[in-house]
Amino acid sequence: MNIAVVGTGYVGLVTGTCLADTGNHVICVDIDEAKVAAMQRGEIPIYEPNLDTLFHRNIAAGRLGFTTDLQKAVDGSSVVFLALPTPPDEDGSADLSYVLGVADELGKMMTDYKVIVDKSTVPVGTADKVREAIAAHAAVDFDVVSNPEFLREGFAVDDFMKPDRIVVGCSGNRAAAIMTELYEPYTNESKPLILMDERSAELTKYASNSFLATKITFMNEIANFCELVGADVDTVRKGMGADPRIGSRFLYPGIGYGGSCFPKDVKALRKSASDVGYDFRVLTSVMNVNDDQKTILFDPMKEHFGGSLEGIKIAMWGLAFKPETDDIREAPSLYMIEKLLAAGAQIVAFDPEAMDNVKSKIGDVIDYKSREMDALDGADCLLICTEWAAFRTPDFNDMANRMNGKVIFDGRNLYDKGKMARLGWTYRSIGRPLNTAS
Ligand code: NAD
């Protein structure tokens, strides 16, 4: 099929590249001219594991191209994906101006039947609004489909190629047949394409993300409680996760969820509910607990240093909101940086992928090192904010030699606390008894 993907960010680029890899001809559109020019030169604008091989292979095969010209992309395509931003407005609702703006343009451009597929995460009723925006100008038949995306940054290519399920919301048989054919290479009996109405599809995405955010948050509260009563969240987690009704995934406590999706989707679902008079109380609690959790290590740090962080040198490992991505949107690290700097601390940071993004956002208010060990030189403590694999088995002797103190505040519970005690580290993690070096 000939496909246009409008919006070439994390979702759009992965969608376009993966669809090209199964034999479709895909043209990706973006308004960001520099980004499009870079992609036309063969440069990938984001870090996503395994994407580069597919990206180059499909460009070389002539199945993947890039443009800023929406009309050109639309003219040759029978399916048009919208992978546009839906950032939160000030009141928490999803800003639909990108999606509806492009829908408006599409209506003026379409000269034959097309399926418009919304992959952005959008509130219930958006498919109707997209349909209205297109119909205001279009004189041809078209269908609007809601096809929310469930890929995870860091695993995006795998998730697209081997999805747990594909949700397609549409009301017309013609569009349903096209979507079923398009996704046929990625589905089977255990990885089904689930057809439903557009509103249910739109809500499925918000309900899934909000449920996952709730699961994480519940575990963070259990972890906080563990610390007060002398229980160990690691063993509690294992005991809980062995129950198949609960499952062992998403039970790892830490310094809160971040990223471009969970925070905004929880807010947007709560706002959609309040718009129809429903007070979604669980989500309000999830948001409040997660806000506190991002900086939960601040007070213990301050206490460790005698009540003041003035002049304390902190090495920080991990800036991305999670491993295997350069995405720093709503990253807990940024909230800690803000609080630590306000308290007079100095920060020297390392992240394998996200440092450029942090530099563009906050500049040189912190120092950056290109190797994790170099960030430790002369540091009074180490703070871990992201669970990159490279941080899991460091050389603790080398670390101790470089640092002023053998002190780690671990927001991701990377190390065995028994081992840390034996090695003589003061080791503060989340929901596990504190090791104090003797
Ligand atoms: P992104 O910010 O990475 O990319 C969006 C792209 O759209 C940018 O490149 C931007 O320049 C472009 N754009 C903006 N206006 C445009 C226009 N008028 N025409 C063409 N291009 C335009 O966003 P993303 O992370 O890919 O997310 C897109 C949507 O998918 C959001 O609704 C998001 O909630 C949802 N989603 C994201 C993820 C994820 O992990 N990132 C996962 C599932 C769903």
Side-chain angles (χ1 to χ4, degrees), residues 7 9-11 30-31 35 84 86 121 149 153 261 264 329:
Y10 284 91
V11 169
D30 208 284
I31 41 163
K35 196 185 230 183
L84 293 155
T86 48
T121 302
E149 181 52 61
E153 287 177 22
C261 292
K264 88 171 167 55
R329 290 177 279 189

Side-chain angles (χ1 to χ4, degrees), residues 6-12 29-32 35 46 70 82-87 98 101-102 105 119-122 148-153 205 209 260-261 264-265 327 329:
V6 189
T8 314
Y10 284 91
V11 169
V29 190
D30 208 284
I31 41 163
D32 184 335
K35 196 185 230 183
I46 53 167
L70 181 62
L82 307 182
L84 293 155
T86 48
Y98 297 88
V102 170
E105 287 183 69
K119 259 210 169 302
S120 299
T121 302
V122 291
E149 181 52 61
F150 296 97
L151 61 75
R152 297 162 300 163
E153 287 177 22
K205 173 67 188 177
N209 271 3
S260 64
C261 292
K264 88 171 167 55
D265 293 351
D327 197 338
R329 290 177 279 189

